Every structure is written in structure tokens, then in C-alpha cells.
């Protein structure tokens, strides 16, 4: 264990993009009431994969590696749709996932938002519409925000989520 | 003889069923109106999914099959629709009435069923696991997948190989480089082109880098599932470094679009220094993690797959190698010259799979050093000739098999068998004797692809 703490001290903190933290602090102060009212102070995300290649998920998983450490911004991935404010949807909407996605959406308590992640969800990845694909997602769900990319990098995802929060400023 | 794949192709004369073993390929022609073929699942249990899929795709009846349930067509898929038939050209389908699926389950006093999925609790692909439980003990578990069934085999029909490339490289994000290399092997064969050595080395380098990233991701997630989060923090940092190296070399964090007919000039010094550092990190990590008894208490003897079963189920990849079955596409002169060493373990449990990954990471780093080359290189492949071509690539998950038939320069039939397609079928063998809390650990130690499987 001693070796571990040595290594730990030598590696130090690798978290990058500290400016995100300032930005969220700023957003928080502007949106204080709004975030508090709508999101109970932190944004809870239920990620649903409706037919991705898994790279979009891999980038969401990367959000919790020490370089990005998303949770420090008060944005969390939660295990149940019932704990979520937002459904983050990746991949093409497949025929076989359609009803399960709709089910998950139903389970999220109001008010709720659907954010699409990656080019697949808006049918801009190279997959064409086939008998097995019910895309784009926007035809089936009220999409509030879209984060483009194939896949969007962790930075782009963080930026996208902050911009989504920002969009309440105008309202 | 190991079964690699079984699939159907529609022809003028009827429906051809091809059975590909490691040593030979067999083929039978079936009547188009009433297609019927004998099952081979009695000898090769892994044929079950191939055969059920053939039935869904083409409407081929499997004679003597003991499992006639649909595979890729779920509860609301219209009956009697066989989308891989040439006459089927619809690009949209309506939902049919719900027909419930009969899960495999064990009955008995006090035995109950636990259903998990398709949407799981974490950030993970959709799939379904169905357990028969006696208290904490798992008696049986069935995997049900194909929630991500995107119809890719049909989607690429009628495209040229070049047109299909962006789709093929997105079949599975974890194995994108592997799928691209398989695509390129096929494209090179079709054009009668010999791949120049620097190009082969460069792509082999990228493939090892992809394995490096994927293995590190697992080396973090597996201990994390045993409650040891520090390993995840450590390993995910290294995986991220690997992704960044991939982006620095190819312009994409997952290497999408990386496999082309030319190799850029590389500044090897920086990469070599990085590899050196990664080699040290790997050694440090191994010494640290091997020394944590509480972790090995969870890993050892958990989720064991026996050698005979791994052979019987035609397993590939880490799953096979961890039970002492030495299957690896890299066992050839090109790779051996560049430092490939087969990594196996004997016991076939979570611990063995973890150790295989640890050893493979070190071996990948050693090979990457040898594959590094500064010079640029390029090849102009000629026109693609019609015919049937196949490719084998050792992806990070195991042997990937792809076959393409070209007609008039266009794809007539595309078929890919992800390593997961066979390994998923063996997962249930690892369950009996373990408690349900060990399931995530067992599943993660195999780390099979859903997207690659659910073409
Ligand atoms: S958008 Fe791109 S990376 Fe994301 S799931 Fe689709 S193909 Fe994969």
C-alpha cells in the first residue's frame, strides 16, 4: 500500500479543463434558482443506448476517468430513469429497442428532457435507414438538445451538457 | 475441428448454406421454396445462434434443431418476414402484435427467475440476462441479445467496398481498427494487391494500440466490479492516454477512418518514449494488483469455464486462451517475427482472464515497439474482381471473421462473425456454482461486444 501512495503522490492530479469548473460555478450562480428548482442542484442523467457502436458509451465512461472527472461538476449518471432529469440517448433507434427506450422515457418523472448524443441518433452517421432502424430519434421523442460527433469526445460532451444548462438562461 | 461460422447466401439456383470450419468449408444448396437444412448443433453447440439467425434472416428451416425460437427478430417483429432475402426491399417495418419469448429457465421448489435488462444500470450497451436462482446461487443463466440489430448485412448490399467502409468501421467501436483491417484484407484480395510491409506494420501497430486501450479499460472495470475503485482510476487514466495516442496518430480517438491505402510519416521517437513509459506503468500496475489478496479472493475460482467446454463451444479470444485453448489469429510468421507470444492460462476463471489481459498488454507494448516505422508508404489497389473473399483478424475480443461476396463490383453478401457471437453462447457455462453478485465480474472479465454481435 505504501507503494500505492507513493505512486499516487508522484502522479498528482491529472484533471484537465479546470475552466469547466469555473464555468459551472458561474452557470450555477446565474441559474441558481432554476437549477435548484428543476434539477435539485445537480443534473442527473440516465444514459440509454438505443443502438450505438459503443464508442459513444465509451466516451461517456471516459467522462469519469481522472482527466475529466465529470462528477465534480455536479453532473451524475444515475442507474434508474426514476432518478433522472435527463435521458441521454445514443445510437440509432433500432426496431428492437424502440419500446424499451419509450418505456425508459415514460419512467422519468416530469419535468424531463431528452438529449441526443452522437450522429447516429439524428441519422447523420453513415448508417442508412433500414427495416431495423426507426430513426431519427426526433421523430419519436421531444429532443431538447443534441450533442453532435461520431463519437463526441468527452470534452465535447461536457461542453454540450453545460450548453444545455446554459440554454435555460434565456428562458 | 472448430466451427467458425454458418451462414446463408441467396443465389440464382437457391439458398446456399456455408459452414466454415477452421480446416475446411462446406456448402449445401437448398430449394428456394422450401429451404431446409440439418442442424449441426449436436456436435457444435455454438451453431445454435447461427442457425436461429439463418432462420430469421432467410426463412430456412433447421431440421432436428432443439431450439427453434427466433433470435434477431424480437417480440414485435412481423412474422414471415425474412429481410435477408433479395426480394425483401422494404426500408421500414411496422410493429406486429407482441409474441412473448420463452426464456430458458430452471424450475423447482424455491427456484425463482431474475430478469436483467435490456437497459442496464450503468453506461452499457443493451442486452438481456435471465437468471434461474436458488437464493444467491445461480443455477442457470440465459443471454438474450440483438437489441442493437441494425440490419447492417442488408444495409451494405449493393454498395462498393469503398462505400461500405464507413459503415463497417462503425459496427463495433471497440473493434473499429480490427473491422477496418478485415475490410482491407478483403479489398486487397479482391484487387489482387499485395500489401507492402510498412503498411501491414502500421495497421498491426494500430490494432495492438486498440487492444491496449480495450484491455486497460477492462483491467480497471473488473476490479471495480469487485469494489476496488482505485484500479479503475489507475487503468482508466492509462486507457485515456492510449486513446489520445490513437488520436495523435490517426486523427480519431477510436481510429475511425485510420486504415487506408497509405501510411503517414510518423515521428517515432515520441511514440517510443511513450511506449517505454507505458511499459513501466504496466509493470507497476501488475505488481500492485497481484498483491491485493482480497481482490484475488473474488477473482480466483469465480466464473470458471473448463477447457473441454471452451473447445466444445468453439470459443475464441481471451475467453479461450484463459482456459488453455491457444487460438489467436496472430500465431503466424509475421507476428512472431515482431514479438508475438501466445498468452494462456489454465484455470479459465475471472482471475485467469485478468492475467491473460495483463500479459497481453505487455506483449502488445513489445510488439508496438517493433511495428513502429518512420517512413511513409502507399499502395494503389486496382479494380476489385468479383468473387468470394474472407478475412481473419485478432481483434481485442478475439478472432473476427468476415466474408464478402462481390458481384458486378458491388457487395452481394456481407457476413461478419464477431468473436462475441460464439463466446456469448458459452457465458452460461460459467455461472453454476457462483452467486449472482459475481455475475458482473464474470461478464466483465469476458467483456464481449453487443454491437459487434448485433449486426
Ligand atoms: S454516433 Fe458514431 S460513435 Fe456514436 S454510436 Fe454512432 S457510429 Fe458510434
Amino acid at each position: 500500500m505504501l507503494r500505492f501512495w507513493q505512486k499516487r503522490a508522484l502522479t498528482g492530479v491529472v484533471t484537465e479543463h479546470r475552466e469547466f469548473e469555473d464555468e459551472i460555478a458561474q452557470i450555477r450562480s446565474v441559474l441558481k434558482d432554476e437549477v435548484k428548482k428543476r434539477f435539485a442542484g445537480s443534473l442527473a442523467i440516465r444514459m440509454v443506448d438505443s443502438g450505438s457502436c459503443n464508442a459513444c458509451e465509451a466516451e461517456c465512461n471516459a467522462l469519469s476517468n481522472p482527466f475529466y472527472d465529470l462528477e465534480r461538476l455536479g453532473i451524475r449518471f444515475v442507474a434508474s430513469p426514476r432518478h433522472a432529469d435527463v435521458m441521454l440517448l445514443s445510437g440509432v433507434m433500432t426496431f428492437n429497442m424502440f419500446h424499451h427506450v419509450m418505456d425508459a422515457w415514460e419512467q422519468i418523472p416530469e419535468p424531463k428532457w431528452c438529449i441526443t448524443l452522437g450522429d447516429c441518433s439524428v441519422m447523420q452517421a453513415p448508417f442508412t435507414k433500414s427495416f431495423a432502424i426507426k430513426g431519427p430519434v426526433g421523430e419519436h421523442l421531444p429532443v431538447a438538445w443534441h450533442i453532435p460527433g461520431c463519437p463526441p469526445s468527452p470534452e465535447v460532451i461536457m461542453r454540450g451538457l453545460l450548453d444545455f444548462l446554459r440554454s435555460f438562461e434565456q428562458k | 475441428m472448430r466451427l467458425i461460422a454458418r451462414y446463408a447466401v441467396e443465389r440464382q439456383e437457391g439458398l446456399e448454406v456455408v459452414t466454415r470450419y477452421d480446416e475446411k468449408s462446406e456448402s449445401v444448396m437448398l430449394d428456394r421454396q422450401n429451404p431446409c437444412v440439418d442442424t449441426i448443433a449436436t456436435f457444435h453447440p455454438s451453431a445454435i445462434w447461427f442457425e436461429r439467425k439463418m432462420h430469421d434472416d432467410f426463412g430456412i428451416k433447421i431440421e432436428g434443431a432443439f431450439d427453434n425460437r427466433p433470435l434477431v427478430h424480437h417480440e414485435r417483429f412481423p412474422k414471415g418476414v425474412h429481410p435477408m432475402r433479395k426480394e425483401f426491399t422494404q426500408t421500414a417495418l411496422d410493429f406486429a402484435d407482441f409474441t412473448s419469448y420463452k426464456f430458458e429457465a430452471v424450475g423447482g421448489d424455491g427456484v425463482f427467475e431474475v430478469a436483467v435488462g435490456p437497459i442496464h444500470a450503468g453506461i452499457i450497451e443493451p442486452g438481456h440476462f435471465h437468471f434461474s436462482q436458488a437464493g444467491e446461487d445461480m443455477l442457470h443463466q440465459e443471454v438474450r441479445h440483438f437489441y442493437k440489430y441494425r440490419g447492417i448485412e442488408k444495409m451494405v448490399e449493393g454498395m462498393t467496398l469503398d462505400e461500405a467502409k464507413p459503415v463497417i468501421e462503425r459496427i463495433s467501436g471497440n473493434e473499429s481498427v480490427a473491422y477496418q483491417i478485415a475490410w482491407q484484407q478483403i479489398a486487397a484480395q479482391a484487387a489482387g494487391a499485395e500489401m507492402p510491409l510498412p503498411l501491414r506494420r502500421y495497421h498491426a501497430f494500430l490494432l495492438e494500440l486498440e487492444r491496449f486501450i480495450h484491455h486497460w479499460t477492462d483491467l480497471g472495470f473488473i476490479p471495480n466490479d469487485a469494489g476496488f475503485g482505485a484500479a479503475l482510476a489507475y487503468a482508466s487514466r492509462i486507457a485515456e492516454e492510449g486513446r489520445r495516442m490513437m488520436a495523435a496518430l490517426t486523427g480519431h480517438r477510436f481510429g475511425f477512418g485510420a486504415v487506408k491505402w497509405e501510411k503517414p510519416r510518423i515521428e517515432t521517437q515520441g511514440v517510443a518514449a511513450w511506449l517505454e513509459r507505458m511499459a513501466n506503468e504496466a509493470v507497476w500496475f501488475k505488481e500492485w494488483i497481484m498483491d491485493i489478496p482480497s481482490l484475488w479472493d473474488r477473482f480466483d475460482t469465480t466464473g470458471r469455464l473448463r477447457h473441454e467446454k471452451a473447445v466444445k463451444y468453439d470459443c475464441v479470444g481471451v475467453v479461450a486462451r484463459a482456459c488453455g485453448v491457444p487460438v489467436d489469429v496472430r500465431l503466424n510468421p509475421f507476428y512472431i517475427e515482431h514479438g508475438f507470444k501466445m498468452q494462456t492460462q489454465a484455470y479459465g476463471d475471472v482471475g485467469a482472464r485478468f492475467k491473460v489481459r495483463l500479459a497481453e498488454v505487455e506483449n502488445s507494448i513489445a510488439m508496438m515497439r517493433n511495428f513502429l516505422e518512420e517512413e511513409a508508404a502507399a499502395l494503389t489497389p486496382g479494380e476489385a474482381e468479383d468473387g468470394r473473399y474472407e478475412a481473419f483478424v485478432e481483434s481485442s475480443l478475439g478472432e473476427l471473421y468476415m466474408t464478402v461476396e462481390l458481384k458486378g463490383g458491388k457487395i452481394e453478401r456481407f457476413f461478419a462473425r464477431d468473436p462475441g457471437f460464439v463466446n456469448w453462447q458459452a457465458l452460461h457455462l460459467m455461472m453454476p456454482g457462483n452467486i449472482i453478485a459475481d455475475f458482473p465480474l464474470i461478464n466483465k472479465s469476458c467483456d464481449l461486444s453487443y454491437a459487434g454481435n448485433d449486426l
Side-chain angles (χ1 to χ4, degrees), chain B residues 21-168:
Chain B
Y21 297 98
D22 51 352
E23 286 160 16
K24 62 171 186 186
S25 198
E26 280 172 3
S27 163
V28 282
M29 194 62 81
L30 314 178
D31 176 41
R32 189 192 306 276
Q33 296 318 320
N34 187 21
C36 207
V37 73
D38 285 338
T39 182
I40 58 163
T42 333
F43 307 104
H44 290 279
S46 67
I48 296 178
W49 279 18
F50 290 105
E51 293 175 351
R52 287 168 65 188
K53 183 169 178 334
M54 260 182 344
H55 179 265
D56 288 359
D57 284 345
F58 290 93
I60 296 172
K61 186 165 179 273
I62 312 295
E63 207 71 67
F66 35 84
D67 189 346
N68 282 314
R69 294 170 300 168
L71 185 77
V72 293
H73 294 173
H74 281 188
E75 288 88 346
R76 289 187 175 85
F77 205 92
K79 299 277 159 315
V81 170
H82 304 297
M84 287 305 290
R85 291 276 193 129
K86 293 286 180 195
E87 70 202 18
F88 178 87
T89 52
Q90 277 163 260
T91 51
L93 278 180
D94 290 327
F95 292 109
D97 289 342
F98 187 92
T99 321
S100 63
Y101 183 81
K102 198 168 166 9
F103 284 97
E104 285 170 8
V106 175
D109 251 6
V111 177
F112 60 97
E113 293 168 47
V114 178
V116 183
I119 301 178
H120 300 297
I123 304 173
I124 172 176
E125 305 182 76
H128 183 90
F129 302 105
H130 207 88
F131 300 89
S132 300
Q133 293 287 131
E136 277 288 307
D137 288 332
M138 291 185 274
L139 298 180
H140 180 64
Q141 176 254 344
E142 184 187 10
V143 178
R144 188 175 188 228
H145 281 329
F146 307 98
Y147 292 90
K148 313 188 96 174
Y149 175 50
R150 291 154 286 173
I152 288 175
E153 286 171 55
K154 184 82 174 186
M155 200 186 288
V156 296
E157 279 182 9
M159 292 184 184
T160 62
L161 279 172
D162 281 343
E163 286 164 351
K165 166 101 184 326
V167 176
I168 293 171

Side-chain angles (χ1 to χ4, degrees), chain A residues 1-168:
Chain A
M1 260 300 128
L2 197 61
R3 283 193 316 128
F4 172 76
W5 288 109
Q6 245 171 15
K7 178 86 182 170
R8 175 71 190 76
L10 283 174
T11 309
V13 175
V14 297
T15 314
E16 293 169 346
H17 307 292
R18 299 292 189 92
E19 67 268 28
F20 280 147
E21 259 157 72
D22 298 340
E23 201 170 326
I24 196 105
Q26 211 190 339
I27 295 179
R28 277 243 176 78
S29 63
V30 178
L31 297 175
K32 215 169 172 192
D33 294 343
E34 203 64 13
V35 172
K36 218 181 196 163
K37 198 166 73 207
R38 291 181 193 253
F39 306 121
S42 76
L43 184 68
I45 300 174
R46 174 63 253 215
M47 171 122 205
V48 176
D49 169 1
S50 58
S52 79
C53 75
N54 200 35
C56 276
E57 279 71 53
E59 292 298 54
C60 285
N61 272 316
L63 286 169
S64 34
N65 77 36
F67 286 99
Y68 305 108
D69 194 16
L70 182 76
E71 289 209 9
R72 79 202 142 98
L73 304 183
I75 300 175
R76 314 175 281 132
F77 286 93
V78 293
S80 164
R82 297 187 192 175
H83 303 161
D85 306 302
V86 160
M87 180 159 92
L88 187 63
L89 199 64
S90 68
V92 293
M93 175 81 95
T94 65
F95 190 93
N96 283 350
M97 269 309 278
F98 182 85
H99 290 95
H100 305 289
V101 172
M102 292 305 172
D103 259 5
W105 175 248
E106 297 256 295
Q107 303 297 322
I108 301 177
E110 296 277 359
K112 57 185 165 187
W113 293 266
C114 172
I115 301 181
T116 46
L117 179 80
D119 295 349
C120 270
S121 56
V122 287
M123 296 303 287
Q124 270 168 12
F127 299 110
T128 49
K129 211 166 171 181
S130 82
F131 65 91
I133 296 177
K134 291 249 167 227
V137 172
E139 284 178 9
H140 310 288
L141 285 170
V143 177
W145 201 258
H146 174 64
I147 303 176
C150 185
S153 67
E155 269 176 65
V156 171
I157 302 174
M158 281 167 112
R159 161 76 41 214
L161 293 173
L162 293 190
D163 286 346
F164 163 73
L165 286 174
R166 269 245 146 83
S167 70
F168 289 94

Side-chain angles (χ1 to χ4, degrees), chain B residues 82-347:
Chain B
H82 304 297
M84 287 305 290
R85 291 276 193 129
K86 293 286 180 195
E87 70 202 18
F88 178 87
T89 52
Q90 277 163 260
T91 51
L93 278 180
D94 290 327
F95 292 109
D97 289 342
F98 187 92
T99 321
S100 63
Y101 183 81
K102 198 168 166 9
F103 284 97
E104 285 170 8
V106 175
D109 251 6
V111 177
F112 60 97
E113 293 168 47
V114 178
V116 183
I119 301 178
H120 300 297
I123 304 173
I124 172 176
E125 305 182 76
H128 183 90
F129 302 105
H130 207 88
F131 300 89
S132 300
Q133 293 287 131
E136 277 288 307
D137 288 332
M138 291 185 274
L139 298 180
H140 180 64
Q141 176 254 344
E142 184 187 10
V143 178
R144 188 175 188 228
H145 281 329
F146 307 98
Y147 292 90
K148 313 188 96 174
Y149 175 50
R150 291 154 286 173
I152 288 175
E153 286 171 55
K154 184 82 174 186
M155 200 186 288
V156 296
E157 279 182 9
M159 292 184 184
T160 62
L161 279 172
D162 281 343
E163 286 164 351
K165 166 101 184 326
V167 176
I168 293 171
E169 70 190 22
R170 283 170 179 80
I171 288 175
S172 164
N174 295 325
E175 305 160 86
S176 179
V177 173
Y179 272 92
Q180 290 180 66
I181 292 176
W183 168 88
Q184 188 170 52
Q185 282 182 11
I186 284 169
Q189 285 169 45
E194 182 76 40
M195 292 290 286
L197 195 58
L199 222 52
R200 284 182 69 192
R201 284 204 182 117
Y202 178 58
H203 294 147
F205 177 94
L206 296 180
L207 185 62
E208 291 315 307
L209 183 56
E210 182 172 77
R211 190 182 330 277
F212 173 94
I213 299 166
H214 199 194
H215 276 6
W216 272 112
T217 307
D218 292 333
L219 289 172
F221 273 128
I222 300 165
N224 191 55
D225 275 340
F228 190 56
L232 178 61
Y234 191 100
S236 63
R237 176 174 63 84
I238 307 289
E240 175 70 21
E241 286 211 32
R243 283 245 180 278
R244 290 177 179 199
M245 181 50 77
M246 184 67 97
L249 290 170
T250 69
H252 193 280
R253 281 165 58 87
F254 291 77
F256 289 7
V259 173
K260 302 196 190 86
W261 299 107
E262 67 261 17
K263 166 196 182 294
R265 210 184 143 79
I266 292 172
E267 193 276 293
T268 47
Q269 236 180 355
V271 183
W274 180 77
L275 286 172
E276 180 73 34
R277 193 158 61 75
M278 288 302 113
N280 291 334
E281 295 276 18
V283 170
W284 192 92
F285 182 80
K286 187 165 85 181
E287 286 175 359
W288 172 50
I289 208 102
M290 294 301 287
D291 227 19
I292 299 170
S294 54
L295 204 56
W296 291 91
D297 193 36
R298 293 291 307 278
F299 287 3
D300 287 336
T301 72
T302 302
R304 185 171 185 206
L305 178 67
R306 285 175 191 280
H307 178 95
E308 321 81 74
K309 292 281 185 186
V311 173
K312 187 162 185 188
Y313 276 71
D314 308 295
C315 290
V316 293
V318 171
V319 170
R321 293 195 286 275
C323 347
V325 183
V327 277
D328 194 313
V329 181
R330 296 172 294 171
L331 191 62
N332 63 43
F334 171 73
Y335 267 99
I336 292 169
E337 255 167 49
H338 290 88
F340 169 73
K341 289 199 182 70
M342 178 74 74
Q343 306 299 336
T344 55
Q345 287 280 325
Y347 200 72

